[in-house]
């Protein structure tokens, strides 16, 4: 119940704003809020017009998220077809071929960036997260360091297992051997920014409107892993990376922490390949 | 939400329609899950046979008299068999996930239906990347399944909102 007496008429006193309980987390939110400030759920309004708008709001963002996800997957498939057509019969991967493959990856990533930007414009959304305590926010930054180290260890062990024990070829090794600013941008900069903005910013924020925070993290992690169609055998590991980055986003309340962690992760992998 | 809730108890035609959509989503997930698990378990078990057949086909295409490095062929054969088995194992695991989702869809309708749709579309893309010829095969069924899952997502969201109404302060 709101804490006020409607019969009290002190002109100097502000009337408290009416509040409602969020349908998902049960915490109180201002009646005028469109989204719950605690869990991000869309708040249903009582009027029919608002109900129609809420229904419209629910399906349109989800459709944009799913269509943009499908578009990103499609670019991956097309890239796979082009790679296969161009390099399918190649036996020895020469530096020229590696360079050409790298240029192809750069073009695909440019297209992916355009798709993500288009999705943002279509929704005009940056999804805010629920307010967090200062302690939790700072702890997330400190916890990221050992968590990143642990994830890199898992990465190296898993891919070493694929290479040495199962003796499976990993084509990206040859592409990563190309030293230069283009490799750095393609491997470290673009994925860290675009993939994080899309998966942990855009998609996770939209999903939190209709599912719980944990479900949003897990689903966004699945999207992140599946988007890497070109590296099928790395998908299980990438799902774990997606979970880590999602929980860091949740704990820190900012997109910058997962961007930095993703950048450092990819940089570590690249430096290991170069050395 | 639990399995004991029937359309009659909910007392709403719209809710009844949504429950039916969740039931059809459960059917879709079971169908896709069992099919994915069965097909990939078969491919995994037949990996060596399939790889041998493909290698023989490629060798027959070579000009008459070409010397084949048997050592390299054997190494390639083993690598190919391991790749197929690993991919089949991962894909079969995905089938198991769909079956588990089918069993949990009434308990957590919104996250399960969204996750199912994401995984289904993603797996179609991955298989399409591995073999582009599979993209065209059964495209109508794939589209119908994706559409069915999306309808289930909408039904789950609407159903959850109706069963948990807001309390005004």
């Amino acid at each position: 119940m709101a804490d006020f007496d409607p019969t009290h008429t002190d002109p100097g006193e502000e009337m408290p704003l009416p509040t409602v309980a969020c349908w998902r987390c049960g915490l109180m939110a201002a009646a005028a809020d469109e989204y719950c400030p605690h869990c991000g759920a869309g708040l249903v309004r009582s009027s029919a017009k608002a109900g129609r708008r809420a229904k419209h709001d629910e399906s349109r963002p989800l459709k944009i998220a799913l269509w943009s996800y499908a578009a990103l997957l499609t670019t991956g498939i097309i890239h796979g077809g082009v790679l296969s057509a161009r390099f399918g019969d190649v036996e020895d991967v020469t530096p020229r071929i590696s360079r050409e493959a790298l240029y192809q990856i750069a073009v695909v990533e440019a297209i992916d960036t355009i798709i993500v930007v288009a999705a943002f414009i279509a929704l005009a959304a940056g999804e805010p997260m629920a307010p967090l305590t200062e302690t939790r926010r700072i702890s997330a930054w400190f916890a990221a360091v050992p968590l990143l180290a642990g994830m890199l260890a898992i990465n190296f062990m898993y891919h070493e297992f694929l290479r040495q024990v199962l003796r499976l070829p990993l084509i990206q090794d040859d592409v990563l051997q190309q030293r230069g600013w283009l490799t750095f941008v393609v491997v470290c900069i673009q994925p860290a920014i675009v993939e994080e903005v899309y998966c942990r910013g855009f998609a996770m924020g939209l999903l939190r409107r209709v599912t719980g925070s944990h479900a949003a993290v897990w689903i966004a992690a699945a999207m992140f892993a599946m988007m890497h169609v070109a590296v099928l055998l790395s998908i299980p590991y990438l799902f774990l990376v997606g979970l880590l980055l999602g929980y860091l986003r949740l704990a820190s309340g900012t997109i910058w922490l997962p961007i930095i962690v993703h950048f450092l992760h990819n940089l570590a992998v690249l430096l290991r390949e170069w050395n | 939400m639990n399995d004991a809730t029937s359309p009659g108890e909910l007392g709403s035609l719209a809710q009844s329609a949504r429950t039916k959509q969740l039931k059809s989503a459960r059917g879709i997930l079971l169908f896709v899950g069992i099919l994915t698990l069965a097909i990939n378990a078969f491919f995994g078990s037949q990996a060596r046979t399939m790889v041998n057949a493909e290698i023989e086909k490629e060798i027959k295409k070579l000009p008459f008299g070409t010397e084949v490095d048997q050592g390299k062929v054997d190494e390639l054969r083993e690598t190919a068999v391991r790749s197929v088995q690993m991919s089949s194992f991962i894909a079969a695991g995905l089938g198991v996930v769909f079956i588990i989702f089918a069993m949990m869809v009434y308990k957590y309708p919104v996250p399960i239906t969204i996750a199912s749709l994401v995984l289904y579309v993603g797996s179609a893309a991955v298989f399409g990347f591995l073999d582009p010829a599979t993209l065209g095969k059964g495209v109508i069924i794939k589209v119908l399944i994706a559409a069915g899952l999306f309808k289930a997502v909408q039904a789950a969201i609407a159903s959850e909102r109706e069963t948990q109404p807001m309390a005004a302060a």
Side-chain angles (χ1 to χ4, degrees), chain A residues 85-108:
Chain A
R86 180 71 185 87
F87 304 119
D89 295 330
V90 166
E91 288 188 13
D92 295 316
V93 182
T94 63
R96 189 188 66 80
I97 288 171
S98 291
R99 209 164 32 248
E100 195 176 325
L102 190 63
Y103 290 150
Q104 283 186 9
I105 293 171
V107 168
V108 169

Side-chain angles (χ1 to χ4, degrees), chain B residues 97-152:
Chain B
V97 168
F98 280 129
I99 293 170
I100 293 170
F101 278 178
M103 294 191 278
M104 291 168 60
V105 71
Y106 284 129
K107 194 162 187 188
Y108 309 105
V110 176
I112 292 291
T113 47
I114 295 176
S116 304
L117 183 58
V118 162
L119 285 177
Y120 182 74
V121 172
S123 61
V126 168
F127 293 134
F129 177 84
L130 289 175
D131 182 6
T134 61
L135 281 173
K137 290 177 189 169
V139 66
I140 295 172
I141 295 174
K142 285 176 187 163
V143 168
L144 286 173
I145 289 174
L149 288 173
F150 184 73
K151 286 283 180 200

Side-chain angles (χ1 to χ4, degrees), chain A residues 57-99:
Chain A
D57 281 344
E58 278 166 29
S59 60
R60 185 166 178 270
L62 207 56
K63 279 177 189 167
I64 291 171
L66 292 169
W67 277 114
S68 55
Y69 170 60
L72 291 167
L73 291 172
T74 304
T75 58
I77 294 170
I78 293 171
H79 180 215
V82 169
L83 267 180
S84 179
R86 180 71 185 87
F87 304 119
D89 295 330
V90 166
E91 288 188 13
D92 295 316
V93 182
T94 63
R96 189 188 66 80
I97 288 171
S98 291
R99 209 164 32 248

Side-chain angles (χ1 to χ4, degrees), chain B residues 84-101:
Chain B
V84 171
Q85 286 174 339
M86 183 80 174
S87 306
S88 300
F89 178 73
I90 292 173
L94 191 62
V96 171
V97 168
F98 280 129
I99 293 170
I100 293 170
F101 278 178

Side-chain angles (χ1 to χ4, degrees), chain A residues 48 88 138 259:
Chain A
I138 293 170
I259 286 176

Side-chain angles (χ1 to χ4, degrees), chain A residues 125-205:
Chain A
E127 296 297 319
M129 287 279 166
L132 301 161
T133 62
E134 203 60 34
T135 312
R136 190 167 158 192
R137 251 199 291 260
I138 293 170
S139 304
W141 285 86
F142 281 105
V145 177
L147 287 171
L148 173 61
M151 196 52 67
L152 282 168
I154 293 171
N155 182 347
F156 297 147
M157 285 192 299
Y158 176 70
H159 288 95
E160 207 54 35
F161 170 76
L162 290 179
R163 277 191 209 111
Q164 303 294 345
V165 177
L166 296 183
R167 292 182 189 260
L168 294 175
L170 299 171
I171 186 64
Q172 66 265 33
D173 287 353
D174 297 303
V175 172
L176 292 181
Q177 296 301 323
Q178 291 287 311
R179 293 179 184 233
W181 65 269
L182 185 60
T183 310
F184 177 70
V185 169
V186 158
V187 173
C188 299
I189 304 287
Q190 194 271 1
I193 296 173
V194 176
E195 287 176 8
E196 289 314 307
V197 162
Y198 180 77
C199 293
R200 255 61 66 181
F202 179 72
M204 209 168 110

Side-chain angles (χ1 to χ4, degrees), chain A residues 257-275:
Chain A
L257 180 56
I259 286 176
I260 291 169
V261 170
H262 194 157
F263 169 78
L264 291 174
H265 173 275
N266 288 11
L267 181 65
V269 169
L270 189 63
L271 290 176
R272 189 169 185 266
E273 289 297 327
W274 283 359
N275 293 320

